[in-house]
């Protein structure tokens, strides 16, 4: 018997053991993939059902309605809802309302977050903790005083500014910006102050470019609130031409839907239009939800 023959069984045992280990290591990965696939199906199925329901000519609320025949698919529901509430005008109102809130939230959030994180002034801690306490106050408790202040005292009913003002400052956005600014190296600000830069110049030229993930996070988190907001725009707007899409859809459901040929499909069509910009925004910017390497800004 040669040395080669003696080593061959050991090699076979080693190769078999390696195959077993690879097989065992694949099982958790396969299980995770199956669980993620099931979770994705559960999460995405309502969106699929909403889209399919909006395209059906005849409503079918049974489980079979999730897989309609091609001949039952049409765009008539979108034409129905557009003729009833003027989708384009409602979308413009929602866009102006949401865009104004996002702009104010980012501007005031950056300024307040930078002041709370990098500036030293008396009462800084009290202001920060008071801001945190504001988050536990339900917005519904402020509805009546806000309506009296904005609609009666300021005369901003049926006005875009009247819709935007209650949401102009977002304490969550301030908190997000503050936490990001706290992560920035102090050497950056010290060097800029030594060079004679003012606080506003430091904020615009140094701090803001380094917290782009915070900007995107604040924009995306802020977008969902005003875009889907119903209660405040419903109270502050009486003219149909000023109402955002969420309010217009609710008005359609209360007054016009009963007379529609397929109210179920028309309502789902409006819901698809309402959800489409939010879904598109998240799909476009999801890859930007990564943390920037702040340490690379400091040499040595």
């Amino acid at each position: 018997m040669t040395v080669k023959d003696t080593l061959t069984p050991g090699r076979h045992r080693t190769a078999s053991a390696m195959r077993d280990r690879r097989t065992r290591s694949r099982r958790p990965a396969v299980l995770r993939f199956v669980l993620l696939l099931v979770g994705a199906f559960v999460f995405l199925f309502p969106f699929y059902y909403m889209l399919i329901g909006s395209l059906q000519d005849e409503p079918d609320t049974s489980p079979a309605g999730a897989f309609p025949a091609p001949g039952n698919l049409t765009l008539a529901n979108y034409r129905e809802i557009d003729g009833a509430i003027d989708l384009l005008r409602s979308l413009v109102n929602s866009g102006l309302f949401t865009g104004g809130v996002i702009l104010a939230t980012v501007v005031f959030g950056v300024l307040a977050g930078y002041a709370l994180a990098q500036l030293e002034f008396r009462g800084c801690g009290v202001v920060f903790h008071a801001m945190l306490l504001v988050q536990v106050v339900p917005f519904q408790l402020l509805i009546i005083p806000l309506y009296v202040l904005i609609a009666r005292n300021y005369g901003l009913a049926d006005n875009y500014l009247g819709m935007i003002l209650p949401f102009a400052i977002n304490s969550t956005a301030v908190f997000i910006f503050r936490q990001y600014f706290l992560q920035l190296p102090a050497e950056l600000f010290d060097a800029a102050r030594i060079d004679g830069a003012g606080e506003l110049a430091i904020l615009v030229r140094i701090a803001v470019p380094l917290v782009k993930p915070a900007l995107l996070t604040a924009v995306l988190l802020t977008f969902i609130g005003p875009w889907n907001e119903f209660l405040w725009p419903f109270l502050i707007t009486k003219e149909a031409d000023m109402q955002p899409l969420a309010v217009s859809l609710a008005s359609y459901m209360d007054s016009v839907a009963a007379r529609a040929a397929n109210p179920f499909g028309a309502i789902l069509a409006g819901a698809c239009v309402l959800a489409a910009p939010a879904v598109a925004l998240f799909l476009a910017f999801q890859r930007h939800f990564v943390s920037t390497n702040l340490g690379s800004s400091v040499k040595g």
Side-chain angles (χ1 to χ4, degrees), residues 162-196:
M163 285 193 286
I164 293 170
L165 279 179
F167 306 96
I169 299 179
N170 190 322
S171 57
T172 302
V174 175
F175 178 79
I176 291 173
F177 285 117
R178 176 185 179 273
Q179 297 308 112
Y180 268 85
F181 285 133
L182 285 175
Q183 298 177 24
L184 297 177
E187 291 85 353
L188 287 173
F189 303 99
D190 294 338
R193 292 186 183 103
I194 291 174
D195 290 339

PDB file of all heavy atoms in Angstrom, residues 162-196:
ATOM      1  N   GLY A 162     -51.886  79.584   5.260  1.00  0.00           N
ATOM      2  CA  GLY A 162     -52.645  79.107   6.406  1.00  0.00           C
ATOM      3  C   GLY A 162     -52.537  77.609   6.588  1.00  0.00           C
ATOM      4  O   GLY A 162     -52.554  77.109   7.726  1.00  0.00           O
ATOM      5  N   MET A 163     -52.421  76.866   5.490  1.00  0.00           N
ATOM      6  CA  MET A 163     -52.235  75.419   5.599  1.00  0.00           C
ATOM      7  C   MET A 163     -50.836  75.063   6.080  1.00  0.00           C
ATOM      8  O   MET A 163     -50.634  74.092   6.815  1.00  0.00           O
ATOM      9  CB  MET A 163     -52.501  74.752   4.240  1.00  0.00           C
ATOM     10  CG  MET A 163     -53.957  74.659   3.866  1.00  0.00           C
ATOM     11  SD  MET A 163     -54.241  73.539   2.463  1.00  0.00           S
ATOM     12  CE  MET A 163     -53.611  74.543   1.111  1.00  0.00           C
ATOM     13  N   ILE A 164     -49.836  75.854   5.685  1.00  0.00           N
ATOM     14  CA  ILE A 164     -48.435  75.503   5.944  1.00  0.00           C
ATOM     15  C   ILE A 164     -47.993  75.875   7.353  1.00  0.00           C
ATOM     16  O   ILE A 164     -47.230  75.123   7.994  1.00  0.00           O
ATOM     17  CB  ILE A 164     -47.535  76.198   4.894  1.00  0.00           C
ATOM     18  CG1 ILE A 164     -47.808  75.612   3.508  1.00  0.00           C
ATOM     19  CG2 ILE A 164     -46.062  76.065   5.249  1.00  0.00           C
ATOM     20  CD1 ILE A 164     -47.143  76.389   2.385  1.00  0.00           C
ATOM     21  N   LEU A 165     -48.446  77.012   7.875  1.00  0.00           N
ATOM     22  CA  LEU A 165     -47.906  77.546   9.120  1.00  0.00           C
ATOM     23  C   LEU A 165     -47.886  76.566  10.299  1.00  0.00           C
ATOM     24  O   LEU A 165     -46.877  76.482  10.999  1.00  0.00           O
ATOM     25  CB  LEU A 165     -48.671  78.816   9.514  1.00  0.00           C
ATOM     26  CG  LEU A 165     -48.246  80.103   8.811  1.00  0.00           C
ATOM     27  CD1 LEU A 165     -49.097  81.282   9.282  1.00  0.00           C
ATOM     28  CD2 LEU A 165     -46.772  80.383   9.072  1.00  0.00           C
ATOM     29  N   PRO A 166     -48.951  75.801  10.573  1.00  0.00           N
ATOM     30  CA  PRO A 166     -48.893  74.895  11.738  1.00  0.00           C
ATOM     31  C   PRO A 166     -47.833  73.809  11.637  1.00  0.00           C
ATOM     32  O   PRO A 166     -47.449  73.230  12.654  1.00  0.00           O
ATOM     33  CB  PRO A 166     -50.307  74.281  11.774  1.00  0.00           C
ATOM     34  CG  PRO A 166     -51.161  75.246  11.044  1.00  0.00           C
ATOM     35  CD  PRO A 166     -50.290  75.808   9.968  1.00  0.00           C
ATOM     36  N   PHE A 167     -47.352  73.536  10.427  1.00  0.00           N
ATOM     37  CA  PHE A 167     -46.368  72.469  10.229  1.00  0.00           C
ATOM     38  C   PHE A 167     -44.993  73.015   9.843  1.00  0.00           C
ATOM     39  O   PHE A 167     -44.116  72.240   9.451  1.00  0.00           O
ATOM     40  CB  PHE A 167     -46.847  71.516   9.132  1.00  0.00           C
ATOM     41  CG  PHE A 167     -48.230  70.969   9.361  1.00  0.00           C
ATOM     42  CD1 PHE A 167     -49.327  71.570   8.761  1.00  0.00           C
ATOM     43  CD2 PHE A 167     -48.431  69.874  10.179  1.00  0.00           C
ATOM     44  CE1 PHE A 167     -50.604  71.072   8.963  1.00  0.00           C
ATOM     45  CE2 PHE A 167     -49.703  69.370  10.383  1.00  0.00           C
ATOM     46  CZ  PHE A 167     -50.796  69.966   9.787  1.00  0.00           C
ATOM     47  N   ALA A 168     -44.803  74.325   9.966  1.00  0.00           N
ATOM     48  CA  ALA A 168     -43.559  74.936   9.495  1.00  0.00           C
ATOM     49  C   ALA A 168     -42.353  74.494  10.300  1.00  0.00           C
ATOM     50  O   ALA A 168     -41.245  74.376   9.765  1.00  0.00           O
ATOM     51  CB  ALA A 168     -43.683  76.461   9.522  1.00  0.00           C
ATOM     52  N   ILE A 169     -42.529  74.255  11.592  1.00  0.00           N
ATOM     53  CA  ILE A 169     -41.430  73.822  12.454  1.00  0.00           C
ATOM     54  C   ILE A 169     -41.750  72.423  12.949  1.00  0.00           C
ATOM     55  O   ILE A 169     -42.777  72.207  13.598  1.00  0.00           O
ATOM     56  CB  ILE A 169     -41.215  74.787  13.631  1.00  0.00           C
ATOM     57  CG1 ILE A 169     -40.860  76.177  13.106  1.00  0.00           C
ATOM     58  CG2 ILE A 169     -40.119  74.272  14.548  1.00  0.00           C
ATOM     59  CD1 ILE A 169     -40.649  77.199  14.186  1.00  0.00           C
ATOM     60  N   ASN A 170     -40.866  71.497  12.651  1.00  0.00           N
ATOM     61  CA  ASN A 170     -41.043  70.097  13.015  1.00  0.00           C
ATOM     62  C   ASN A 170     -39.980  69.730  14.043  1.00  0.00           C
ATOM     63  O   ASN A 170     -38.785  69.740  13.745  1.00  0.00           O
ATOM     64  CB  ASN A 170     -40.926  69.211  11.767  1.00  0.00           C
ATOM     65  CG  ASN A 170     -41.330  67.782  12.027  1.00  0.00           C
ATOM     66  OD1 ASN A 170     -41.053  67.231  13.088  1.00  0.00           O
ATOM     67  ND2 ASN A 170     -41.987  67.171  11.057  1.00  0.00           N
ATOM     68  N   SER A 171     -40.412  69.401  15.259  1.00  0.00           N
ATOM     69  CA  SER A 171     -39.453  69.095  16.321  1.00  0.00           C
ATOM     70  C   SER A 171     -38.657  67.834  16.019  1.00  0.00           C
ATOM     71  O   SER A 171     -37.492  67.714  16.424  1.00  0.00           O
ATOM     72  CB  SER A 171     -40.188  68.941  17.657  1.00  0.00           C
ATOM     73  OG  SER A 171     -41.183  67.942  17.574  1.00  0.00           O
ATOM     74  N   THR A 172     -39.252  66.892  15.291  1.00  0.00           N
ATOM     75  CA  THR A 172     -38.511  65.684  14.915  1.00  0.00           C
ATOM     76  C   THR A 172     -37.360  66.023  13.979  1.00  0.00           C
ATOM     77  O   THR A 172     -36.253  65.498  14.122  1.00  0.00           O
ATOM     78  CB  THR A 172     -39.456  64.670  14.243  1.00  0.00           C
ATOM     79  OG1 THR A 172     -40.529  64.352  15.138  1.00  0.00           O
ATOM     80  CG2 THR A 172     -38.716  63.401  13.880  1.00  0.00           C
ATOM     81  N   ALA A 173     -37.599  66.911  13.016  1.00  0.00           N
ATOM     82  CA  ALA A 173     -36.529  67.329  12.105  1.00  0.00           C
ATOM     83  C   ALA A 173     -35.430  68.070  12.852  1.00  0.00           C
ATOM     84  O   ALA A 173     -34.237  67.882  12.582  1.00  0.00           O
ATOM     85  CB  ALA A 173     -37.102  68.202  10.992  1.00  0.00           C
ATOM     86  N   VAL A 174     -35.808  68.921  13.805  1.00  0.00           N
ATOM     87  CA  VAL A 174     -34.807  69.623  14.620  1.00  0.00           C
ATOM     88  C   VAL A 174     -33.946  68.620  15.364  1.00  0.00           C
ATOM     89  O   VAL A 174     -32.716  68.754  15.436  1.00  0.00           O
ATOM     90  CB  VAL A 174     -35.497  70.589  15.594  1.00  0.00           C
ATOM     91  CG1 VAL A 174     -34.464  71.220  16.533  1.00  0.00           C
ATOM     92  CG2 VAL A 174     -36.250  71.673  14.835  1.00  0.00           C
ATOM     93  N   PHE A 175     -34.573  67.609  15.939  1.00  0.00           N
ATOM     94  CA  PHE A 175     -33.822  66.578  16.675  1.00  0.00           C
ATOM     95  C   PHE A 175     -32.869  65.830  15.752  1.00  0.00           C
ATOM     96  O   PHE A 175     -31.724  65.560  16.116  1.00  0.00           O
ATOM     97  CB  PHE A 175     -34.807  65.612  17.331  1.00  0.00           C
ATOM     98  CG  PHE A 175     -34.143  64.494  18.074  1.00  0.00           C
ATOM     99  CD1 PHE A 175     -33.615  64.697  19.339  1.00  0.00           C
ATOM    100  CD2 PHE A 175     -34.039  63.226  17.505  1.00  0.00           C
ATOM    101  CE1 PHE A 175     -32.998  63.670  20.022  1.00  0.00           C
ATOM    102  CE2 PHE A 175     -33.424  62.201  18.188  1.00  0.00           C
ATOM    103  CZ  PHE A 175     -32.910  62.412  19.448  1.00  0.00           C
ATOM    104  N   ILE A 176     -33.326  65.477  14.544  1.00  0.00           N
ATOM    105  CA  ILE A 176     -32.475  64.760  13.595  1.00  0.00           C
ATOM    106  C   ILE A 176     -31.258  65.602  13.220  1.00  0.00           C
ATOM    107  O   ILE A 176     -30.117  65.116  13.241  1.00  0.00           O
ATOM    108  CB  ILE A 176     -33.285  64.383  12.340  1.00  0.00           C
ATOM    109  CG1 ILE A 176     -34.325  63.319  12.674  1.00  0.00           C
ATOM    110  CG2 ILE A 176     -32.357  63.892  11.222  1.00  0.00           C
ATOM    111  CD1 ILE A 176     -35.273  63.012  11.529  1.00  0.00           C
ATOM    112  N   PHE A 177     -31.482  66.873  12.888  1.00  0.00           N
ATOM    113  CA  PHE A 177     -30.356  67.736  12.511  1.00  0.00           C
ATOM    114  C   PHE A 177     -29.400  67.940  13.683  1.00  0.00           C
ATOM    115  O   PHE A 177     -28.178  67.963  13.502  1.00  0.00           O
ATOM    116  CB  PHE A 177     -30.870  69.074  11.995  1.00  0.00           C
ATOM    117  CG  PHE A 177     -31.434  69.017  10.615  1.00  0.00           C
ATOM    118  CD1 PHE A 177     -32.776  69.307  10.373  1.00  0.00           C
ATOM    119  CD2 PHE A 177     -30.642  68.665   9.533  1.00  0.00           C
ATOM    120  CE1 PHE A 177     -33.299  69.254   9.095  1.00  0.00           C
ATOM    121  CE2 PHE A 177     -31.153  68.607   8.250  1.00  0.00           C
ATOM    122  CZ  PHE A 177     -32.493  68.895   8.035  1.00  0.00           C
ATOM    123  N   ARG A 178     -29.940  68.096  14.868  1.00  0.00           N
ATOM    124  CA  ARG A 178     -29.076  68.271  16.045  1.00  0.00           C
ATOM    125  C   ARG A 178     -28.172  67.058  16.227  1.00  0.00           C
ATOM    126  O   ARG A 178     -26.967  67.205  16.481  1.00  0.00           O
ATOM    127  CB  ARG A 178     -29.919  68.484  17.295  1.00  0.00           C
ATOM    128  CG  ARG A 178     -29.088  68.566  18.579  1.00  0.00           C
ATOM    129  CD  ARG A 178     -29.968  68.643  19.805  1.00  0.00           C
ATOM    130  NE  ARG A 178     -29.178  68.705  21.020  1.00  0.00           N
ATOM    131  CZ  ARG A 178     -28.736  67.638  21.688  1.00  0.00           C
ATOM    132  NH1 ARG A 178     -29.021  66.421  21.232  1.00  0.00           N
ATOM    133  NH2 ARG A 178     -28.028  67.784  22.789  1.00  0.00           N
ATOM    134  N   GLN A 179     -28.719  65.858  16.121  1.00  0.00           N
ATOM    135  CA  GLN A 179     -27.905  64.656  16.313  1.00  0.00           C
ATOM    136  C   GLN A 179     -26.831  64.534  15.235  1.00  0.00           C
ATOM    137  O   GLN A 179     -25.700  64.117  15.520  1.00  0.00           O
ATOM    138  CB  GLN A 179     -28.803  63.419  16.300  1.00  0.00           C
ATOM    139  CG  GLN A 179     -29.817  63.370  17.437  1.00  0.00           C
ATOM    140  CD  GLN A 179     -29.158  63.561  18.790  1.00  0.00           C
ATOM    141  OE1 GLN A 179     -29.359  64.571  19.459  1.00  0.00           O
ATOM    142  NE2 GLN A 179     -28.366  62.595  19.196  1.00  0.00           N
ATOM    143  N   TYR A 180     -27.137  64.903  14.018  1.00  0.00           N
ATOM    144  CA  TYR A 180     -26.125  64.844  12.957  1.00  0.00           C
ATOM    145  C   TYR A 180     -25.042  65.893  13.180  1.00  0.00           C
ATOM    146  O   TYR A 180     -23.852  65.618  12.975  1.00  0.00           O
ATOM    147  CB  TYR A 180     -26.783  65.036  11.588  1.00  0.00           C
ATOM    148  CG  TYR A 180     -27.182  63.748  10.918  1.00  0.00           C
ATOM    149  CD1 TYR A 180     -28.398  63.147  11.195  1.00  0.00           C
ATOM    150  CD2 TYR A 180     -26.344  63.123   9.998  1.00  0.00           C
ATOM    151  CE1 TYR A 180     -28.782  61.960  10.581  1.00  0.00           C
ATOM    152  CE2 TYR A 180     -26.710  61.944   9.367  1.00  0.00           C
ATOM    153  CZ  TYR A 180     -27.930  61.365   9.671  1.00  0.00           C
ATOM    154  OH  TYR A 180     -28.302  60.196   9.069  1.00  0.00           O
ATOM    155  N   PHE A 181     -25.446  67.102  13.571  1.00  0.00           N
ATOM    156  CA  PHE A 181     -24.447  68.149  13.801  1.00  0.00           C
ATOM    157  C   PHE A 181     -23.550  67.808  14.986  1.00  0.00           C
ATOM    158  O   PHE A 181     -22.381  68.216  15.003  1.00  0.00           O
ATOM    159  CB  PHE A 181     -25.144  69.492  14.045  1.00  0.00           C
ATOM    160  CG  PHE A 181     -25.696  70.122  12.793  1.00  0.00           C
ATOM    161  CD1 PHE A 181     -26.980  70.640  12.768  1.00  0.00           C
ATOM    162  CD2 PHE A 181     -24.928  70.206  11.650  1.00  0.00           C
ATOM    163  CE1 PHE A 181     -27.495  71.225  11.626  1.00  0.00           C
ATOM    164  CE2 PHE A 181     -25.429  70.787  10.485  1.00  0.00           C
ATOM    165  CZ  PHE A 181     -26.721  71.298  10.472  1.00  0.00           C
ATOM    166  N   LEU A 182     -24.056  67.084  15.959  1.00  0.00           N
ATOM    167  CA  LEU A 182     -23.226  66.679  17.095  1.00  0.00           C
ATOM    168  C   LEU A 182     -22.137  65.697  16.679  1.00  0.00           C
ATOM    169  O   LEU A 182     -21.104  65.592  17.346  1.00  0.00           O
ATOM    170  CB  LEU A 182     -24.097  66.049  18.188  1.00  0.00           C
ATOM    171  CG  LEU A 182     -24.939  67.005  19.033  1.00  0.00           C
ATOM    172  CD1 LEU A 182     -25.836  66.223  19.980  1.00  0.00           C
ATOM    173  CD2 LEU A 182     -24.056  67.970  19.820  1.00  0.00           C
ATOM    174  N   GLN A 183     -22.337  64.965  15.601  1.00  0.00           N
ATOM    175  CA  GLN A 183     -21.352  64.000  15.134  1.00  0.00           C
ATOM    176  C   GLN A 183     -20.208  64.654  14.365  1.00  0.00           C
ATOM    177  O   GLN A 183     -19.178  64.016  14.136  1.00  0.00           O
ATOM    178  CB  GLN A 183     -22.022  62.956  14.245  1.00  0.00           C
ATOM    179  CG  GLN A 183     -23.085  62.125  14.952  1.00  0.00           C
ATOM    180  CD  GLN A 183     -23.778  61.161  14.002  1.00  0.00           C
ATOM    181  OE1 GLN A 183     -23.222  60.776  12.973  1.00  0.00           O
ATOM    182  NE2 GLN A 183     -24.988  60.771  14.334  1.00  0.00           N
ATOM    183  N   LEU A 184     -20.373  65.887  13.951  1.00  0.00           N
ATOM    184  CA  LEU A 184     -19.317  66.551  13.187  1.00  0.00           C
ATOM    185  C   LEU A 184     -18.132  66.861  14.094  1.00  0.00           C
ATOM    186  O   LEU A 184     -18.316  67.286  15.239  1.00  0.00           O
ATOM    187  CB  LEU A 184     -19.850  67.848  12.565  1.00  0.00           C
ATOM    188  CG  LEU A 184     -20.972  67.695  11.539  1.00  0.00           C
ATOM    189  CD1 LEU A 184     -21.437  69.059  11.063  1.00  0.00           C
ATOM    190  CD2 LEU A 184     -20.516  66.855  10.358  1.00  0.00           C
ATOM    191  N   PRO A 185     -16.914  66.666  13.606  1.00  0.00           N
ATOM    192  CA  PRO A 185     -15.727  66.958  14.421  1.00  0.00           C
ATOM    193  C   PRO A 185     -15.653  68.437  14.798  1.00  0.00           C
ATOM    194  O   PRO A 185     -15.854  69.322  13.953  1.00  0.00           O
ATOM    195  CB  PRO A 185     -14.559  66.568  13.499  1.00  0.00           C
ATOM    196  CG  PRO A 185     -15.152  65.651  12.485  1.00  0.00           C
ATOM    197  CD  PRO A 185     -16.567  66.095  12.295  1.00  0.00           C
ATOM    198  N   ALA A 186     -15.355  68.713  16.049  1.00  0.00           N
ATOM    199  CA  ALA A 186     -15.265  70.098  16.522  1.00  0.00           C
ATOM    200  C   ALA A 186     -14.116  70.843  15.847  1.00  0.00           C
ATOM    201  O   ALA A 186     -14.145  72.079  15.747  1.00  0.00           O
ATOM    202  CB  ALA A 186     -15.086  70.111  18.040  1.00  0.00           C
ATOM    203  N   GLU A 187     -13.094  70.094  15.391  1.00  0.00           N
ATOM    204  CA  GLU A 187     -11.940  70.752  14.755  1.00  0.00           C
ATOM    205  C   GLU A 187     -12.344  71.514  13.493  1.00  0.00           C
ATOM    206  O   GLU A 187     -11.725  72.533  13.151  1.00  0.00           O
ATOM    207  CB  GLU A 187     -10.877  69.705  14.393  1.00  0.00           C
ATOM    208  CG  GLU A 187     -10.186  69.072  15.588  1.00  0.00           C
ATOM    209  CD  GLU A 187     -10.987  67.901  16.142  1.00  0.00           C
ATOM    210  OE1 GLU A 187     -12.131  67.695  15.673  1.00  0.00           O
ATOM    211  OE2 GLU A 187     -10.480  67.217  17.052  1.00  0.00           O
ATOM    212  N   LEU A 188     -13.351  71.024  12.780  1.00  0.00           N
ATOM    213  CA  LEU A 188     -13.806  71.722  11.577  1.00  0.00           C
ATOM    214  C   LEU A 188     -14.293  73.128  11.907  1.00  0.00           C
ATOM    215  O   LEU A 188     -13.929  74.107  11.238  1.00  0.00           O
ATOM    216  CB  LEU A 188     -14.941  70.930  10.919  1.00  0.00           C
ATOM    217  CG  LEU A 188     -14.569  69.636  10.194  1.00  0.00           C
ATOM    218  CD1 LEU A 188     -15.835  68.914   9.759  1.00  0.00           C
ATOM    219  CD2 LEU A 188     -13.686  69.920   9.000  1.00  0.00           C
ATOM    220  N   PHE A 189     -15.107  73.242  12.928  1.00  0.00           N
ATOM    221  CA  PHE A 189     -15.678  74.533  13.298  1.00  0.00           C
ATOM    222  C   PHE A 189     -14.622  75.451  13.923  1.00  0.00           C
ATOM    223  O   PHE A 189     -14.623  76.661  13.673  1.00  0.00           O
ATOM    224  CB  PHE A 189     -16.849  74.323  14.254  1.00  0.00           C
ATOM    225  CG  PHE A 189     -17.917  73.434  13.698  1.00  0.00           C
ATOM    226  CD1 PHE A 189     -17.987  72.098  14.056  1.00  0.00           C
ATOM    227  CD2 PHE A 189     -18.842  73.920  12.792  1.00  0.00           C
ATOM    228  CE1 PHE A 189     -18.958  71.276  13.539  1.00  0.00           C
ATOM    229  CE2 PHE A 189     -19.824  73.105  12.269  1.00  0.00           C
ATOM    230  CZ  PHE A 189     -19.881  71.771  12.643  1.00  0.00           C
ATOM    231  N   ASP A 190     -13.735  74.866  14.722  1.00  0.00           N
ATOM    232  CA  ASP A 190     -12.676  75.675  15.330  1.00  0.00           C
ATOM    233  C   ASP A 190     -11.763  76.268  14.259  1.00  0.00           C
ATOM    234  O   ASP A 190     -11.393  77.454  14.327  1.00  0.00           O
ATOM    235  CB  ASP A 190     -11.855  74.824  16.303  1.00  0.00           C
ATOM    236  CG  ASP A 190     -12.671  74.381  17.503  1.00  0.00           C
ATOM    237  OD1 ASP A 190     -13.697  75.040  17.795  1.00  0.00           O
ATOM    238  OD2 ASP A 190     -12.303  73.376  18.143  1.00  0.00           O
ATOM    239  N   ALA A 191     -11.404  75.461  13.272  1.00  0.00           N
ATOM    240  CA  ALA A 191     -10.534  75.954  12.200  1.00  0.00           C
ATOM    241  C   ALA A 191     -11.231  77.053  11.394  1.00  0.00           C
ATOM    242  O   ALA A 191     -10.613  78.065  11.025  1.00  0.00           O
ATOM    243  CB  ALA A 191     -10.131  74.802  11.290  1.00  0.00           C
ATOM    244  N   ALA A 192     -12.520  76.896  11.135  1.00  0.00           N
ATOM    245  CA  ALA A 192     -13.252  77.910  10.375  1.00  0.00           C
ATOM    246  C   ALA A 192     -13.367  79.210  11.169  1.00  0.00           C
ATOM    247  O   ALA A 192     -13.247  80.309  10.596  1.00  0.00           O
ATOM    248  CB  ALA A 192     -14.639  77.377  10.028  1.00  0.00           C
ATOM    249  N   ARG A 193     -13.574  79.118  12.468  1.00  0.00           N
ATOM    250  CA  ARG A 193     -13.673  80.336  13.286  1.00  0.00           C
ATOM    251  C   ARG A 193     -12.330  81.045  13.361  1.00  0.00           C
ATOM    252  O   ARG A 193     -12.265  82.278  13.371  1.00  0.00           O
ATOM    253  CB  ARG A 193     -14.176  79.972  14.683  1.00  0.00           C
ATOM    254  CG  ARG A 193     -15.626  79.478  14.699  1.00  0.00           C
ATOM    255  CD  ARG A 193     -16.142  79.273  16.109  1.00  0.00           C
ATOM    256  NE  ARG A 193     -17.499  78.737  16.112  1.00  0.00           N
ATOM    257  CZ  ARG A 193     -17.806  77.474  16.361  1.00  0.00           C
ATOM    258  NH1 ARG A 193     -16.828  76.612  16.648  1.00  0.00           N
ATOM    259  NH2 ARG A 193     -19.068  77.073  16.327  1.00  0.00           N
ATOM    260  N   ILE A 194     -11.262  80.280  13.415  1.00  0.00           N
ATOM    261  CA  ILE A 194      -9.922  80.891  13.426  1.00  0.00           C
ATOM    262  C   ILE A 194      -9.674  81.645  12.126  1.00  0.00           C
ATOM    263  O   ILE A 194      -9.041  82.716  12.105  1.00  0.00           O
ATOM    264  CB  ILE A 194      -8.844  79.809  13.659  1.00  0.00           C
ATOM    265  CG1 ILE A 194      -8.950  79.268  15.083  1.00  0.00           C
ATOM    266  CG2 ILE A 194      -7.446  80.371  13.409  1.00  0.00           C
ATOM    267  CD1 ILE A 194      -8.034  78.093  15.360  1.00  0.00           C
ATOM    268  N   ASP A 195     -10.190  81.102  11.015  1.00  0.00           N
ATOM    269  CA  ASP A 195     -10.039  81.761   9.717  1.00  0.00           C
ATOM    270  C   ASP A 195     -10.958  82.955   9.553  1.00  0.00           C
ATOM    271  O   ASP A 195     -10.921  83.622   8.514  1.00  0.00           O
ATOM    272  CB  ASP A 195     -10.305  80.767   8.588  1.00  0.00           C
ATOM    273  CG  ASP A 195      -9.198  79.726   8.483  1.00  0.00           C
ATOM    274  OD1 ASP A 195      -8.094  80.002   8.989  1.00  0.00           O
ATOM    275  OD2 ASP A 195      -9.446  78.642   7.925  1.00  0.00           O
ATOM    276  N   GLY A 196     -11.803  83.220  10.546  1.00  0.00           N
ATOM    277  CA  GLY A 196     -12.660  84.394  10.508  1.00  0.00           C
ATOM    278  C   GLY A 196     -14.042  84.168   9.946  1.00  0.00           C
ATOM    279  O   GLY A 196     -14.768  85.141   9.680  1.00  0.00           O
TER     280      GLY A 196
END
